[in-house]
Amino acid sequence: MLTGRLELRLPEEPDRERFVELFGDEDFMVFSGGTLSRDDAEDRFDRMLARAAELPFAKQPIIDRSTGVIVGYSGVDRFELDGEARWEFGYRLVPAARGRGYATEAGLALLTVADQTFRGELLAMIDPRNAASANVIAKLGFTWWKRAMVEGFEDELYRRPCG
């Protein structure tokens, strides 16, 4: 899928090295549980591939069309909240791509696909220290729901209906 400046597509095996590199980068993994070991990064990429086989709006590469470089990802993955499997919408960008509207541009494109193919609720988890991300998620139509502990971290949870 193409937007004005970006290409979004489901992840493919040739993307593995780039994502393993990104998952091990402190600046990329800011506002998360931290960097991943190579094995954990490989597992996380495997999860991206598995989810992509299920959903057309799963987490997928954000590619800057002007350079052809993967600058991050956007989309959904499963997580557990209060003992229930839920869908989490998220995004993550390299520092050089932040503040340029890429997360909003990619998110709007993927949420259009979600609205056409999925009925249900998506959640977003935002680190309370990340005001920029809270602004992006609001632009994407999510509304604040509650503060909760998720996988050992206190996050602001936002939700958005689809379908």
Side-chain angles (χ1 to χ4, degrees):
M1 149 182 14
L2 301 177
T3 69
R5 301 174 294 167
L6 307 172
E7 176 186 352
L8 296 127
R9 60 165 172 71
L10 294 172
E12 301 168 351
E13 189 58 42
D15 301 326
R16 180 179 295 276
E17 267 315 302
R18 175 65 171 155
F19 278 102
V20 168
E21 170 193 347
L22 291 173
F23 294 147
D25 182 284
E26 271 185 45
D27 293 328
F28 184 75
M29 296 299 286
V30 68
F31 299 118
S32 73
T35 60
L36 302 180
S37 69
R38 176 142 190 115
D39 286 345
D40 289 343
E42 294 271 0
D43 289 346
R44 183 153 174 188
F45 186 74
D46 288 341
R47 195 170 75 229
M48 285 177 71
L49 290 175
R51 197 67 64 226
E54 295 175 42
L55 293 170
F57 55 98
K59 288 189 177 171
Q60 51 198 267
I62 298 173
I63 303 163
D64 182 329
R65 290 175 60 193
S66 70
T67 64
V69 173
I70 295 172
V71 296
Y73 67 77
S74 184
V76 300
D77 195 5
R78 275 220 184 273
F79 80 107
E80 192 170 299
L81 178 66
D82 300 329
E84 183 181 345
R86 304 294 295 261
W87 290 109
E88 177 259 341
F89 180 85
Y91 41 81
R92 188 170 299 280
L93 294 166
V94 297
R98 295 178 191 150
R100 301 177 65 187
Y102 285 5
T104 302
E105 189 173 326
L108 288 171
L110 287 173
L111 289 168
T112 297
V113 174
D115 283 332
Q116 295 168 351
T117 61
F118 174 72
R119 245 183 150 57
E121 183 176 67
L122 300 179
L123 299 180
M125 297 178 281
I126 307 295
D127 185 303
R129 301 166 296 159
N130 194 347
S133 193
N135 290 336
V136 169
I137 212 68
K139 289 178 191 175
L140 296 176
F142 286 76
T143 57
W144 188 86
W145 179 29
K146 66 181 181 176
R147 186 174 275 210
M149 292 298 290
V150 181
E151 298 176 1
F153 296 95
E154 188 173 49
D155 284 319
E156 300 288 331
L157 296 183
Y158 294 77
R159 57 187 175 182
R160 180 187 185 280
C162 286

